[in-house]
């Protein structure tokens, strides 16, 4: 055998498949045990500097997108493809032969029983279809039945499904577009660089009697600014109920607090804006002065040692946690109660009208259906492989008028042999 | 309803405990009649366990499959169900004797969890959750049975041959086929679990696979059992090596179930 052919055989072999599966399992567990996506400093503090360097060098901080992980998956795909291709012609031949008596009649089978008077009854007890009458090469009368030939395709179909699944997932990862848009009702914001605008028409947080959240509901309208007249499409989205508009899928992702900031200068109103927690607002006539809304607590409490938190979701004791920056330096950070105001030189800042903002994620992945089909095909393959077990039974008339019945079931093993013996009435422990 | 569930749960624990003792007695005194009573108690426990789960479902107004207690008690139910089916299908009460302590441990773990009924966060309010978790219960139950079969397989080699064992523990070849049946049942249902979970994640979070630790570990489990299936197809690897894989696979199941929640935070940490 040439070296080339030997390499090919190895890559298409099941031995290689098992090795790859084990390596993949180890790779996945390593990826889940090392916290993903952290910085060198984070790892150095958590483990040690040497470990941190090793983690970054091996790409363990982003294991599932690392070159070695993709290489293992790639080899698995190659292996599966070659294995399925090599086996296809053999499988077609086998599936054809499985339904015909010729091969079987020469074969002793996995199990057999002699001196059977009524072979058809044995076939029936084995739940085989009605047998066809045929002849052996030496002219004896014979019966043959086969069932569940589709099961032969189980592993092949399962492997195909896995390939489609990996393909769909991989292509999706490479081509998907993902955006996040957040805001309060009335906001109109661009969706990345898609040329589409997202308008938040309404957002409600449905609470149960016990104060827990039942559902987040956002009403949205999307405008396609690329098209003439900017056509629009609207939908209502909830957690677990996304909507598709202009080919993109919109998900109600999460929520947080927002509020209105009023800034006055020397007692005269200067500016007003709604900002979400985490956002900042530069002062209109002095942009190097910046107000940041860090957080909002509807029912503020301060527990020494734990810091600020909220006692409930009700607006019982609202407080705004803010910080102020001047030329990039922190000037101060504090909590402001509802009726308090913050004074910085000639400016006074107040926060009012707490409301919930919504975070909507927007996604387009054209290959999700492919991955879904892959998953469904995999399930079909497994069902075929495990629960549609191909079986054959045949009977040959002997000189004394009795029959010898034979059976074969590739995956039935000892259990099929027992079933067979029971059906043929030759079971050793027959009661 | 929840009161009834509480009472039923206690009775179920007692029944499972009694079934376990009787199974042990069966092995000690080697009388088939004892095994029959043990199987009867297990079946009675299973019936009441089903009733308890239904009561909880009615009491909570939703499927009882959403927190650590509910999942643990359902896991015990799944293991009890699958092991009973295998005991009856293969006339194999020794399997019951080995499976009953595992079932009892899991329901004991359930008893230690908080039984409080909490309202569901919006992400959990989905029909896919029902499919996702109920298929997981069957998968875990089936893997529990393959673990027990693996242990029996490995112990069988060490036990002195006796008429009782030969009569009540199938030979190596048959044990291997029974273990294969339970692994294939488990793998099929684990595949359903992962696919329905992915569909649900896509609807709830906008991403059907995000390498969350629980997802990753269910994939690791899935891969281990896939490797088991291929090993079995290789000559010489059936039996012992496959049995070891079945034991390791179940260790992964348990880690996915309990370990991930404890050690690796992620979106699944609530269940
Ligand atoms: C994640 C990966 C894989 C999964 C889930 C998988 C699944 C399966 C299943 C369920 C079976 C049927 C087993 C049985 O009926 O007992 C099977 C058989 C088989 N697999 Fe895979 N497989 C995978 C990867 C591979 C790879 C990479 C190869 C490449 C060589 C391979 C080669 C085979 C062969 C040769 C069989 C025997 C087919 C038969 O008996 O008809 N598998 N596989």
């Amino acid at each position: 055998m040439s070296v080339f052919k030997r390499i090919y055989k190895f890559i298409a072999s099941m031995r290689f498949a098992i090795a790859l599966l084990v390596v993949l399992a180890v790779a996945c567990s390593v990826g889940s045990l090392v916290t993903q996506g952290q910085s060198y400093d984070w790892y150095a503090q958590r483990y040690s500097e040497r470990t941190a360097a090793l983690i970054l060098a091996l790409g363990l901080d982003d294991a599932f997108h690392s070159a070695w992980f993709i290489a293992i998956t790639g080899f698995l795909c190659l292996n599966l493809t070659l294995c399925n291709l090599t086996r296809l012609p053999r499988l077609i031949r086998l599936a054809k032969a499985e339904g015909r008596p010729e091969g079987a009649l020469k074969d002793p089978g996995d199990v057999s029983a002699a001196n059977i008077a009524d072979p058809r009854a044995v076939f029936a007890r084995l739940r085989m279809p009605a047998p066809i009458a045929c002849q052996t090469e030496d002219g004896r009368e014979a019966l043959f039945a086969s069932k569940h030939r589709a099961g032969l395709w189980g592993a092949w179909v399962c492997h195909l499904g896995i390939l489609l699944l990996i393909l769909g997932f991989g292509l999706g990862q490479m081509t998907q577009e993902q955006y996040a848009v957040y805001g309060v009702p009335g906001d109109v914001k661009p969706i990345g660089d898609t040329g589409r605008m997202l308008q938040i028409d309404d957002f409600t947080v449905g609470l149960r009697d016990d104060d827990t959240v039942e559902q987040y509901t956002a009403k949205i309208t999307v405008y396609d600014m690329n098209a003439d007249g900017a056509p629009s499409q609207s939908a209502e989205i909830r957690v677990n109920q996304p909507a598709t508009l202009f080919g993109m899928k919109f998900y109600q992702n999460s929520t947080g607090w927002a509020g209105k900031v009023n800034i006055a200068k020397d007692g005269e109103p200067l500016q007003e804006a709604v900002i979400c927690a985490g956002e900042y607002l530069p002062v209109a006539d002095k942009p190097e002065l910046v107000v940041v809304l860090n957080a909002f607590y509807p029912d503020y409490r301060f527990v020494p040692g734990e810091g600020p938190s909220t006692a409930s979701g009700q607006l019982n004791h609202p407080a705004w946690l803010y910080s102020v920056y001047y030329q990039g330096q922190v000037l101060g950070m504090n909590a402001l109660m509802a009726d308090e105001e913050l004074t910085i030189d000639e400016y006074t800042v107040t926060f009012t009208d707490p409301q919930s903002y919504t975070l909507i994620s927007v996604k387009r992945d054209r290959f999700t259906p492919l991955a879904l089909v892959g998953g469904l095909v995999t399930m079909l393959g497994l069902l075929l492989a495990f629960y549609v077990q191909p079986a054959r039974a045949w009977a040959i008339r002997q000189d004394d008028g009795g029959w010898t019945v034979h059976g074969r079931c590739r995956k039935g093993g000892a259990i099929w042999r027992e079933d067979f013996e029971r059906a043929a009435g030759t079971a050793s422990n027959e009661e | 309803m929840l009161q009834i569930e509480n009472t039923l749960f206690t009775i179920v624990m007692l029944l499972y405990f009694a079934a376990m003792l009787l199974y042990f007695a069966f092995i000690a005194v080697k009388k088939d009649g004892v095994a029959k009573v043990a199987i009867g108690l297990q079946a009675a426990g299973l019936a009441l366990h089903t009733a308890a789960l239904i009561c909880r479902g009615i009491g909570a107004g939703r499927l009882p499959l959403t927190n650590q207690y509910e999942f643990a008690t359902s896991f015990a139910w799944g293991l009890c169900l699958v092991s009973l089916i295998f005991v009856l299908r293969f006339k194999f009460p020794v399997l019951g004797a080995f499976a009953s302590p595992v079932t009892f441990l899991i329901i004991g773990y359930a008893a230690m969890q908080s039984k409080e009924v909490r309202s569901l966060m919006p992400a959990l309010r989905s029909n896919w959750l029902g499919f996702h978790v109920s298929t997981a219960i069957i998968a875990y139950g089936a893997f529990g049975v393959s673990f027990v079969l693996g242990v029996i397989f490995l112990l069988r080699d060490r036990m002195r041959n006796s008429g009782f064992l030969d009569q009540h523990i199938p030979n190596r070849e048959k044990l291997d086929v029974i273990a294969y049946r339970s692994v294939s049942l488990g793998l099929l249902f684990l595949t359903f679990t992962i696919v329905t979970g992915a569909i649900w994640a896509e609807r709830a979070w906008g991403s059907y696979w995000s390498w969350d630790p629980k997802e990753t570990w269910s994939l690791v489990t899935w891969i281990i059992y896939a490797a088991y299936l291929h090993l079995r197809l290789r000559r010489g690897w059936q039996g012992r090596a496959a049995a070891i894989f079945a034991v390791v696979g179940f260790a992964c199941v348990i880690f996915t179930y309990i370990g991930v929640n404890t050690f690796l935070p992620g979106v699944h940490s609530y269940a």
Side-chain angles (χ1 to χ4, degrees):
Chain A
M1 217 188 320
S2 72
V3 176
F4 188 71
K5 196 157 179 195
R6 240 188 279 169
I7 293 178
Y8 174 88
K9 272 200 101 163
F10 175 71
I11 292 184
S13 72
M14 198 158 79
R15 198 152 39 123
F16 188 46
I18 295 172
L20 279 173
L21 288 177
V22 173
V23 172
L24 196 63
V26 172
C28 288
S29 48
V30 169
S32 82
L33 296 174
V34 176
T35 309
Q36 300 287 288
Q38 301 295 331
S39 64
Y40 172 84
D41 293 335
W42 193 93
Y43 293 118
Q45 199 173 29
R46 174 89 185 255
Y47 308 105
S48 70
E49 291 196 355
R50 276 194 33 213
T51 318
L54 193 69
I55 286 174
L56 292 194
L58 294 177
L60 294 179
D61 59 321
D62 191 16
F64 300 111
H65 304 102
S66 67
W68 52 266
F69 191 82
I70 293 168
I72 299 171
T73 316
F75 271 115
L76 188 72
C77 290
L78 182 66
N79 178 226
L80 266 170
T81 311
L82 293 181
C83 155
N84 255 15
L85 282 181
T86 338
R87 286 180 48 237
L88 187 58
R90 241 188 303 154
L91 202 54
I92 294 174
R93 250 181 286 136
L94 183 69
K96 279 193 190 144
E98 184 86 1
R100 295 208 208 97
E102 291 82 5
L105 297 181
K106 284 183 255 171
D107 188 10
D110 295 330
V111 58
S112 62
N115 301 323
I116 302 290
D118 183 3
R120 286 175 191 272
V122 178
F123 280 61
R125 281 196 290 271
L126 276 171
R127 276 182 261 144
M128 300 297 292
I132 51 165
C134 49
Q135 273 198 339
T136 62
E137 275 178 0
D138 52 358
R140 284 173 196 275
E141 203 183 331
L143 295 170
F144 173 84
S146 82
K147 66 172 179 183
H148 294 172
R149 290 199 296 281
L152 288 173
W153 290 93
W156 199 88
V157 171
C158 172
H159 296 155
L160 178 70
I162 293 165
L163 274 171
L164 294 178
L165 183 64
I166 298 179
L167 195 68
F169 182 71
L171 289 173
Q173 293 279 303
M174 285 190 281
T175 59
Q176 70 184 8
E177 299 164 49
Q178 218 171 346
Y179 310 95
V181 180
Y182 61 91
V184 294
D187 282 353
V188 184
K189 296 193 168 175
I191 305 172
D193 50 7
T194 60
R196 309 240 159 87
M197 303 292 284
L198 173 67
Q199 174 180 312
I200 299 167
D201 301 316
D202 190 23
F203 178 60
T204 49
V205 179
L207 293 180
R208 299 189 187 90
D209 295 341
D210 64 356
D211 222 23
T212 56
V213 176
E214 180 164 27
Q215 187 54 280
Y216 301 102
T217 308
K219 290 194 180 126
I220 56 169
T221 302
V222 176
Y223 296 90
D224 186 358
M225 311 307 276
N226 301 324
D228 285 344
S232 67
Q233 295 182 355
S234 301
E236 197 170 279
I237 57 175
R238 299 186 177 85
V239 178
N240 269 314
Q241 285 173 36
T244 305
L245 303 176
F246 291 114
M248 291 194 279
K249 224 161 165 181
F250 292 79
Y251 303 84
Q252 169 56 44
N253 184 298
S254 61
T255 180
W257 285 99
K260 194 185 280 175
V261 191
N262 286 287
I263 303 180
K265 186 178 183 184
D266 300 324
E268 294 294 316
L270 175 71
Q271 87 193 95
E272 183 185 291
V274 174
I275 64 174
C276 303
E279 282 189 316
Y280 60 88
L281 180 70
V283 172
D285 63 351
K286 198 176 193 179
E288 57 280 29
L289 184 64
V290 171
V291 178
V292 181
L293 174 59
N294 297 98
F296 172 75
Y297 302 99
D299 197 355
Y300 181 76
R301 66 172 174 201
F302 188 89
V303 182
E306 280 178 29
S309 63
T310 189
S312 74
Q314 305 292 335
L315 290 169
N316 292 337
H317 186 35
W320 307 87
L321 191 69
Y322 70 87
S323 35
V324 179
Y325 288 79
Y326 184 71
Q327 291 183 339
Q329 303 288 322
V330 189
L331 281 189
M333 182 172 174
N334 210 339
L336 205 59
M337 297 307 128
D339 48 359
E340 291 177 345
E341 55 183 36
L342 159 72
T343 308
I344 318 157
D345 302 335
E346 66 269 40
Y347 300 99
T348 46
V349 180
T350 53
F351 294 95
T352 53
D353 295 339
Q355 55 182 311
S356 299
Y357 74 83
T358 169
L359 176 73
I360 293 171
S361 38
V362 186
K363 196 158 171 181
R364 173 150 53 188
D365 177 354
R366 293 180 188 81
F367 293 100
T368 301
L370 180 60
L372 180 62
V373 168
L376 297 178
V377 171
T378 305
M379 296 197 305
L380 174 71
L382 289 175
L383 260 175
L384 287 176
F386 299 147
Y387 291 98
V388 184
Q389 300 216 343
R392 297 195 286 172
W394 58 100
I396 299 171
R397 178 158 339 241
Q398 303 300 322
D399 296 335
D400 59 5
W403 295 76
T404 316
V405 184
H406 306 261
R408 163 154 284 176
C409 172
R410 288 167 186 282
K411 287 183 205 142
I415 291 175
W416 155 262
R417 284 206 300 278
E418 276 181 15
D419 290 347
F420 182 94
E421 282 162 2
R422 218 171 290 130
T426 51
S428 51
N429 55 354
E430 196 79 345
E431 280 154 296
Chain B
M1 271 300 163
L2 294 174
Q3 275 297 310
I4 305 177
E5 190 243 355
N6 235 328
T7 316
L8 283 175
F9 183 82
T10 313
I11 301 174
V12 169
M13 278 193 66
L14 291 174
L15 280 173
Y16 284 173
F17 188 66
M20 178 175 80
L21 292 183
L22 274 172
Y23 272 125
F24 291 168
F26 154 66
I27 293 194
V29 304
K30 306 184 171 42
K31 288 245 163 51
D32 286 356
V34 182
K36 288 210 172 104
V37 181
I39 294 172
L41 283 180
Q42 186 184 352
L46 183 68
L48 290 184
H49 201 166
T50 314
L53 289 172
I54 293 173
C55 285
R56 186 166 178 98
I58 296 172
R62 54 170 166 76
L63 283 177
L65 300 171
T66 49
N67 60 28
Q68 197 77 350
Y69 163 71
E70 290 172 345
F71 192 74
T73 175
S74 304
F75 184 0
W77 180 87
L79 179 55
C80 185
L81 173 72
V82 179
S83 68
L84 188 64
I85 291 174
F86 274 68
V87 165
L88 296 174
R89 165 74 176 83
F90 300 109
K91 301 194 177 62
F92 190 4
V94 174
L95 169 62
F98 279 79
S100 58
V102 185
T103 310
F104 188 71
L105 268 181
I106 297 171
I107 201 165
Y109 176 75
M112 295 185 314
Q113 307 295 315
S114 157
K115 288 194 186 174
E116 186 194 355
V117 174
R118 264 159 298 176
S119 352
L120 287 192
M121 55 188 275
L124 289 180
R125 299 180 60 222
S126 163
N127 291 334
W128 288 106
L129 171 77
F131 293 114
H132 178 57
V133 186
S134 48
T135 49
I137 286 161
I138 302 295
Y140 282 19
F143 288 141
V145 168
S146 31
F147 161 74
V148 169
L149 287 164
V151 171
I152 295 177
F153 192 101
L154 297 175
L155 286 181
R156 187 184 210 288
D157 287 355
R158 293 168 175 260
M159 285 190 271
R160 274 177 289 119
N161 266 358
S162 73
F164 177 76
L165 281 186
D166 281 344
Q167 211 183 337
H168 287 282
I169 302 185
N171 60 28
R172 297 178 58 133
E173 191 201 348
K174 192 171 164 192
L175 258 185
D176 180 68
V177 179
I178 300 176
Y180 167 67
R181 292 279 177 97
S182 62
V183 169
S184 48
L185 177 69
L187 190 71
L188 180 69
F189 274 83
L190 183 61
T191 313
F192 290 162
T193 306
I194 295 178
V195 171
T196 51
I199 294 175
W200 173 33
E202 195 275 337
R203 294 183 66 82
W205 289 286
S207 164
Y208 59 90
W209 191 266
S210 37
W211 299 108
D212 161 82
K214 198 129 187 153
E215 287 171 4
T216 307
W217 273 92
S218 65
L219 179 65
V220 171
T221 310
W222 190 81
I223 294 174
I224 299 270
Y225 285 111
Y228 163 99
L229 286 180
H230 291 86
L231 268 185
R232 259 194 92 252
L233 293 170
R234 292 179 63 81
R235 217 171 287 282
W237 282 86
Q238 289 183 353
R240 214 181 145 70
I244 293 173
F245 254 76
V247 172
V248 173
F250 193 62
C252 286
V253 168
I254 294 294
F255 186 75
T256 310
Y257 170 46
I258 297 176
V260 170
N261 292 349
T262 316
F263 304 115
L264 308 167
V267 289
H268 273 89
S269 43
Y270 41 74

